[in-house]
Amino acid sequence: MNQRFKENSDRCNRMNTSIESLLKFVNDDLLAQPGKKIGSDTPLFEDGGIDSLKILQLIAFLEVRSGRKIPDELIVMDRFRTVGVIAENFLNL
């Protein structure tokens, strides 16, 4: 039981680190409104914070961070709604 708990704890810590890294990238490099910060559950596209060109930068960041190419069929809006959703879909370790 302790090994299972440790594995879950390690996975949770890696996911939190991934979300923090992704949030930093989105807030510092992608947001169209300087000074505005988002959280992991903030919708990315509803207020125009990220446009179609910035989504390409985001995909490139995810591919480098995960070490694998994201197949075209997985690039759909539902998988990019929030930073949390993105992390679940593309940065699961």
Side-chain angles (χ1 to χ4, degrees):
M1 188 69 141
N2 286 335
Q3 180 64 26
R4 188 179 203 182
F5 176 78
K6 182 178 178 347
E7 289 171 1
N8 286 340
S9 178
D10 289 347
R11 184 176 184 275
C12 185
N13 287 337
R14 286 192 307 266
M15 183 60 81
N16 286 340
T17 300
S18 294
I19 290 173
E20 289 170 10
S21 172
L22 184 54
L23 270 173
K24 181 170 177 25
F25 176 74
V26 170
N27 280 317
D28 294 350
D29 297 334
L30 293 186
L31 280 182
Q33 300 137 355
K36 180 180 178 183
K37 299 288 182 190
I38 64 161
S40 63
D41 60 348
T42 303
L44 294 177
F45 300 98
E46 289 182 8
D47 65 356
I50 295 184
D51 59 26
S52 59
L53 293 176
K54 291 183 180 181
I55 191 68
L56 297 175
Q57 290 176 287
L58 177 57
I59 291 167
F61 173 84
L62 293 169
E63 289 178 339
V64 168
R65 182 79 165 82
S66 69
R68 58 187 174 213
K69 181 169 176 13
I70 297 173
D72 291 343
E73 61 270 9
L74 295 182
I75 301 174
V76 294
M77 292 300 283
D78 282 348
R79 295 181 185 268
F80 289 87
R81 286 189 321 259
T82 68
V83 166
V85 170
I86 292 167
E88 287 175 18
N89 283 296
F90 301 109
L91 297 180
N92 48 0
L93 303 170

